[in-house]
Amino acid sequence: MRLRIATYNIHKGVMGLRKPALTIHALREQIHAMNADLVFLQEVQGRHDRHAGKFEHWPEGGQHEFLAQSPSAIDDLLGHASQQYFTAYGMNAVYSHGHHGNALLSRYEIEWMLNQDVSDHRLEQRGLLHCCVKTPAGPIHAMVAHFGLLYRSRVRQASKLIEHVGTHVPAGMPLVVAGDFNDWQRRLGPILQQGLQADEVMPLDKKNRLARVGSFPSRFPVLGLDRVFARGFKVHEATVLHGPAWAKLSDHAPFVVDLECAWS
């Protein structure tokens, strides 16, 4: 069984400071065009009353629900867009006018989900979204991560992630952990690989060589903030999608990985 996954920090579906532009509709089109089976999303707006009042076409409901639906303009016009993905949302940052967090889009049924708060201080609210996905090859544990901006925070959050996996994921079960680790120095890789008993998936070029390209910032992606760790899979291809079109949608570029279930 082949499995395509993508991890993407969508910047809450809005780009720009002086003249903010709504990007969530274009994001939905591009996310569906990636044709991924599992999409690990960060900075997903569950609710934002101010944006809802400001932008004419702000989606009703959470962005994860909107992104799960068909991007067909005709369906939108008729008001009956079909759901293409199962979805789960983990609310992390809560404020008076809304909240945002991590989300998972899945082609396969999500059997259960839980969201663990791994906030390290009051100024950064972070979480781990853990889902058990029922695939034709068997259950897969999928975890969406978004770590903090401070190195010491990230180390503690990595420890909480490892502890969580040790408690909630049986040994040997297939596991994918993906998200925005904010680890521009790539210091967490060895810690997570050992603690999760997983391999880090690195972007490859067209000749299957290690690509010296990151995912942030999307206009000039040199920092590898968006990462994938997988257990129980063979890697077939891994690439960062970058270019002018992607740079308009988010400050991060999506990282797409094609995996094969090693146990199938």
Side-chain angles (χ1 to χ4, degrees):
M1 176 185 168
R2 292 288 187 99
L3 191 73
R4 170 168 287 186
I5 72 161
T7 181
Y8 197 9
N9 183 323
I10 66 169
H11 202 263
K12 303 170 189 172
V14 176
M15 281 288 282
L17 295 176
R18 293 183 180 179
K19 295 182 179 180
L22 188 64
T23 61
I24 192 67
H25 294 269
L27 278 164
R28 183 174 67 167
E29 291 184 5
Q30 293 301 322
I31 286 173
H32 283 255
M34 288 191 294
N35 196 32
D37 300 296
L38 297 173
V39 187
F40 298 67
L41 299 171
Q42 306 85 51
E43 293 195 18
V44 177
Q45 201 76 65
R47 192 187 106 229
H48 198 298
D49 297 339
R50 294 176 184 174
H51 285 342
K54 179 178 181 178
F55 293 107
E56 181 180 359
H57 299 292
W58 185 259
E60 295 184 7
Q63 288 182 344
H64 58 294
E65 297 169 330
F66 176 78
L67 293 172
Q69 296 174 348
S70 165
S72 167
I74 296 178
D75 285 343
D76 282 345
L77 183 63
L78 296 177
H80 53 65
S82 60
Q83 182 169 322
Q84 302 294 310
Y85 284 104
F86 296 96
T87 185
Y89 170 69
M91 181 170 57
N92 299 327
V94 182
Y95 25 90
S96 60
H97 55 277
H99 51 82
H100 70 266
N102 299 324
L104 181 75
L105 306 181
S106 173
R107 297 254 185 228
Y108 307 108
E109 181 183 352
I110 298 174
E111 187 173 9
W112 52 259
M113 62 151 284
L114 57 89
N115 193 51
Q116 180 180 353
D117 184 0
V118 293
S119 302
D120 195 58
H121 53 84
R122 290 184 298 174
L123 299 180
E124 287 186 303
Q125 296 167 291
R126 306 291 186 178
L128 299 172
L129 175 63
H130 181 185
C131 300
C132 184
V133 179
K134 296 173 64 176
T135 77
I140 292 173
H141 290 266
M143 297 187 65
V144 191
H146 192 186
F147 282 7
L149 297 175
L150 302 177
Y151 174 68
R152 291 182 179 180
S153 294
R154 294 194 296 273
V155 170
R156 286 189 283 267
Q157 287 160 349
S159 296
K160 290 181 180 179
L161 168 59
I162 293 168
E163 180 182 359
H164 177 94
V165 169
T167 302
H168 294 88
V169 182
M173 285 289 290
L175 169 71
V176 180
V177 180
D180 178 3
F181 289 85
N182 274 312
D183 180 32
W184 53 86
Q185 296 173 310
R186 290 192 175 274
R187 298 166 71 178
L188 293 181
I191 297 172
L192 291 172
Q193 288 185 85
Q194 181 177 0
L196 300 174
Q197 294 297 294
D199 296 319
E200 180 173 3
V201 181
M202 303 293 284
L204 305 175
D205 63 17
K206 294 182 180 179
K207 294 184 180 180
N208 212 36
R209 299 175 303 190
L210 184 64
R212 301 297 179 183
V213 62
S215 58
F216 181 88
S218 56
R219 292 186 181 277
F220 188 63
V222 294
L223 301 178
L225 305 189
D226 302 276
R227 316 273 281 278
V228 174
F229 297 86
R231 185 174 79 192
F233 296 90
K234 299 176 183 177
V235 180
H236 282 272
E237 189 174 358
T239 185
V240 176
L241 304 180
H242 55 89
W246 291 107
K248 296 177 181 179
L249 300 181
S250 173
D251 57 345
H252 288 246
F255 183 21
V256 181
V257 178
D258 288 314
L259 302 171
E260 181 180 352
C261 303
W263 71 92
S264 60

